[in-house]
Amino acid sequence: MSTAILTGPPVAGSPLEADLRTLGFDVRTANDPTAAAELINAVPAQERVAVVDPRFVGHLHALRLALTDPRFPAAAVPGALTAQPAARAALTRAVGRIPVGAGTAHLTDVLTDTLTESLDRDGIGLHRVELGSLVATVALTPAQREDAREAVAAVDDEAVRLRTAVKSRDGFFTTYCISPYSRYLARWCARRGLTPNQVTTASLLTALIAAGCAATGTRGGFVAAGFLLLFSFVLDCTDGQLARYSLQYSTMGAWLDATFDRAKEYAYYAGLALGAARGGDDVWALALGAMVLMTCRHVVDFSFNEANHDATANTSPTAALSGKLDSVGWTVWVRRMIVLPIGERWAMIAVLTALTTPRIVFYALLIGCALAACYTTAGRVLRSLTRRARRTDRAAQALADLADSGPLAELIAAGARGRGRTGSYLAPAMAFLSAAVLLVWVIFENDPASWLTVGVAVCSALLAGAAVSRPLKGALDWLVPPFFRAGEYVTILVLAARADVPGALPAAFGLVAAVAYHHYDTVYRIRGGTGAPPRWLVRATGGHEGRVLVVTVLAAALSPSGFTIALTALAVALALLVLIESIRFWVSSQAPAVHDEGEPA
């Protein structure tokens, strides 16, 4: 139970106490700052405390936004503020600093405003809620109270709540084909006590059933799979809208939403490949290629965003052009559709599944995602080359974590440290060569399952170590993790395809899925403010260069059928290792609540 303390002149007939109880607060009253301080100190340290002026007039949703949002240690609107445990000490200090006695009326008349200013000066991360059309004010006279009540009556806060439940930036398909009704589904879920995580889980289960339907290989199964995939996406939109509608944000919820999206999509790829195999068409290479392309594209997004997380505003000509295009309405939607966000992508997959074949689905997916990746990556390269910004230590550490370098690369980097210039193009050049040397060899060599390939993998690891030997603060250093991902994933794909035995590509699909999960988990730990996975886990998984070396050794040392069995065992071992550690971490994580409002994936 959270506690709300009413401090100030009482107002007869005010619905404020009832509103606070509706929001789950135990309401208490205090006549002066000293009594308020005593009540605040009496509340257990692990509970939220709100301080509200009894003369507050405003919408219930304005109070909800100010007092119940878990993402901020402290938040405020005129007449009301809240402090979570992390900000409780600052609130106690703020109350203690307010003098009592003659000449202090200007500080204690509207105590909540004085406390809000004090918390703001303390720099604890106070969030001042943007109310928009909502009303929140302290009415000091009967006339002001009447005017405020009229302003409240003129705005339907439930309509505002529904409208703001929709993500502010989303794709065309989601905005116009899903959100107009999914927001009402979110409200229906909220009124029945369902949580966003439960809806997220329902979306995952629906997608897995869709994958099972696709795996039947029948036209009826494909049609059912398309419909279920679309319904899974409706639920996927609903969970975020439910979180915004009911302010049920959590770090674990954001992680579940993001990782389940990938699990749903990649499981569906596997279902399509199984269904095609039932019809005599082997498309596992296309399925794995689609997964590799999507994962590498996401790594580009993540790396670029982390590299510029603390950077100042981009004043480059490319950014200026982008801003001008955003001022023209139709170009905004075209540019959002070009990147093939999750809504457009899943709609395309669902329709093509129902009407065509898995092979056509994967061809369309590969072509569309390749064009989108080229468009977004080219734009980000141009922005990086033309902007003037100093990369921070935090950004450099995030890129190093995303690189996922193992013991071998660490050893090489330690030996090469100090031999390059931070901020140059050496790191992305070395990372590109690390991937290119290996991929050119395994793609064009007549027999890549040889010990020569192991030697090339060692050379690739040497280049990878050189790439991360200095802090990644260069303009294009955010390309280092994507180059490493492409080199590792495509190498596994090619070696499995060249093995030319049944089961090799499905085993490779499982291995890449396990490794990709580890990389997504790293991203969302960083985004949640908890840092990368522990070094022991990275070392235990071998790092990207270690895994490549192991796979090339297995290919050289074993027969094609033995290689398939080894890939399967490696996939299972890695999946268990990263899943157990990931679940342990997120279940016990004390990271602050977050909710991803970024670009659609």
Side-chain angles (χ1 to χ4, degrees):
M1 172 71 73
S2 301
T3 301
I5 299 170
L6 294 175
T7 177
V11 177
S14 171
L16 182 59
E17 287 194 36
D19 287 346
L20 290 170
R21 289 192 175 94
T22 298
L23 298 178
F25 285 92
D26 177 23
V27 181
R28 304 180 188 180
T29 59
N31 295 325
D32 54 56
T34 301
E38 292 175 354
L39 286 176
I40 290 172
N41 290 329
V43 175
Q46 69 274 16
E47 290 187 10
R48 175 195 296 268
V49 170
V51 180
V52 185
D53 194 299
R55 296 163 293 181
F56 174 90
V57 180
H59 287 102
L60 175 62
H61 193 51
L63 274 179
R64 182 182 289 108
L65 290 170
L67 305 184
T68 66
D69 195 327
R71 294 175 295 174
F72 309 104
V77 294
L81 67 92
T82 186
Q84 293 203 67
R88 285 282 303 277
L91 178 60
T92 301
R93 290 194 302 270
V95 175
R97 286 196 294 261
I98 298 176
V100 178
T104 64
H106 66 290
L107 295 175
T108 59
D109 186 35
V110 185
L111 183 61
T112 52
D113 290 353
T114 302
L115 293 176
T116 298
E117 293 300 325
S118 181
L119 291 175
D120 206 4
R121 288 193 300 270
D122 280 352
I124 61 167
L126 175 75
H127 173 64
R128 293 182 181 267
V129 178
E130 295 184 8
L131 292 170
S133 60
L134 296 175
V135 176
T137 186
V138 176
L140 302 178
T141 67
Q144 290 178 349
R145 176 168 293 277
E146 185 61 28
D147 290 342
R149 285 174 174 170
E150 290 179 1
V152 169
V155 176
D156 183 354
D157 70 336
E158 179 62 20
V160 173
R161 190 181 179 190
L162 274 173
R163 185 175 67 251
T164 55
V166 177
K167 186 185 288 187
S168 58
R169 177 182 172 87
D170 228 328
F172 181 88
F173 178 78
T174 304
T175 300
Y176 291 104
C177 300
I178 303 297
S179 293
Y181 58 88
S182 62
R183 69 184 74 181
Y184 295 101
L185 179 57
R187 181 171 67 181
W188 183 89
C189 292
R191 290 177 175 177
R192 282 152 184 81
L194 297 176
T195 67
N197 289 353
Q198 289 171 333
V199 178
T200 301
T201 303
S203 177
L204 173 65
L205 294 175
T206 304
L208 293 179
I209 295 172
C213 291
T216 63
T218 64
R219 178 51 52 194
F222 288 146
V223 171
F227 278 109
L228 287 171
L229 186 66
L230 283 177
F231 182 60
S232 173
F233 182 66
V234 171
L235 294 176
D236 184 56
C237 295
T238 300
D239 62 5
Q241 291 164 1
L242 175 58
R244 287 181 284 274
Y245 181 86
S246 57
L247 300 183
Q248 296 184 74
Y249 300 107
S250 69
T251 301
M252 185 173 182
W255 168 72
L256 284 177
D257 185 47
T259 54
F260 279 11
D261 278 351
R262 304 287 79 80
K264 288 181 285 190
E265 190 165 2
Y266 299 159
Y268 193 81
Y269 293 174
L272 284 175
L274 288 169
R278 286 179 176 272
D281 189 12
D282 187 354
V283 296
W284 275 107
L286 297 177
L288 180 51
M291 182 166 67
V292 168
L293 180 57
M294 282 305 308
T295 305
C296 290
R297 177 186 163 190
H298 287 141
V299 173
V300 168
D301 296 342
F302 299 144
S303 297
F304 178 81
N305 291 334
E306 288 302 324
N308 296 283
H309 183 274
D310 302 317
T312 56
N314 193 345
T315 57
S316 70
T318 308
L321 175 61
S322 178
K324 290 180 180 179
L325 290 174
D326 282 342
S327 65
V328 182
W330 65 270
T331 65
V332 174
W333 293 116
V334 170
R335 293 170 68 208
R336 291 187 189 180
M337 293 173 70
I338 286 174
V339 301
L340 204 64
I342 188 169
E344 278 76 357
R345 191 168 68 250
W346 282 28
M348 179 186 74
I349 294 171
V351 171
L352 290 179
T353 298
L355 300 179
T356 64
T357 65
R359 180 171 290 273
I360 293 176
V361 173
F362 286 123
Y363 282 154
L365 189 62
L366 287 166
I367 293 171
C369 289
L371 292 175
C374 290
Y375 170 77
T376 55
T377 304
R380 287 167 176 172
V381 168
L382 289 175
R383 288 189 181 208
S384 300
L385 290 174
T386 55
R387 77 180 299 164
R388 297 177 181 177
R390 182 179 295 276
R391 305 288 188 245
T392 64
D393 291 337
R394 179 203 177 280
Q397 183 59 52
L399 291 180
D401 292 333
L402 291 174
D404 192 34
S405 299
L408 182 57
E410 284 183 335
L411 181 64
I412 297 166
R417 192 156 288 137
R419 299 184 183 180
R421 183 167 62 87
T422 300
S424 68
Y425 299 124
L426 182 62
M430 291 294 100
F432 172 77
L433 288 174
S434 172
V437 165
L438 184 60
L439 294 182
V440 168
W441 177 267
V442 297
I443 291 172
F444 295 104
E445 170 62 22
N446 290 330
D447 181 19
S450 67
W451 291 106
L452 284 176
T453 303
V454 176
V456 174
V458 171
C459 293
S460 174
L462 291 172
L463 292 169
V468 296
S469 61
R470 298 297 300 268
L472 298 176
K473 295 185 176 182
L476 295 179
D477 284 1
W478 55 270
L479 287 170
V480 170
F483 284 146
F484 287 164
R485 296 296 82 74
E488 178 182 0
Y489 296 164
V490 177
T491 296
I492 295 172
L493 189 162
V494 173
L495 287 176
R498 299 287 295 273
D500 198 25
V501 293
L505 280 167
F509 188 97
L511 177 58
V512 172
V515 176
Y517 176 88
H518 168 58
H519 291 143
Y520 282 114
D521 187 52
T522 300
V523 167
Y524 287 100
R525 291 195 196 209
I526 294 172
R527 283 189 172 184
T530 58
R535 286 304 303 169
W536 71 260
L537 179 65
V538 177
R539 293 189 177 101
T541 60
H544 69 93
E545 80 290 350
R547 290 187 295 269
V548 167
L549 195 57
V550 168
V551 171
T552 56
V553 168
L554 293 176
L558 301 174
S559 65
S561 58
F563 178 59
T564 299
I565 296 172
L567 279 184
T568 304
L570 184 60
V572 171
L574 281 175
L576 289 175
L577 181 63
V578 298
L579 276 172
I580 291 173
E581 161 56 22
S582 176
I583 293 171
R584 182 211 62 78
F585 169 79
W586 287 105
V587 168
S588 62
S589 174
Q590 298 300 314
V594 298
H595 192 79
D596 184 16
E597 294 288 348
E599 296 182 5

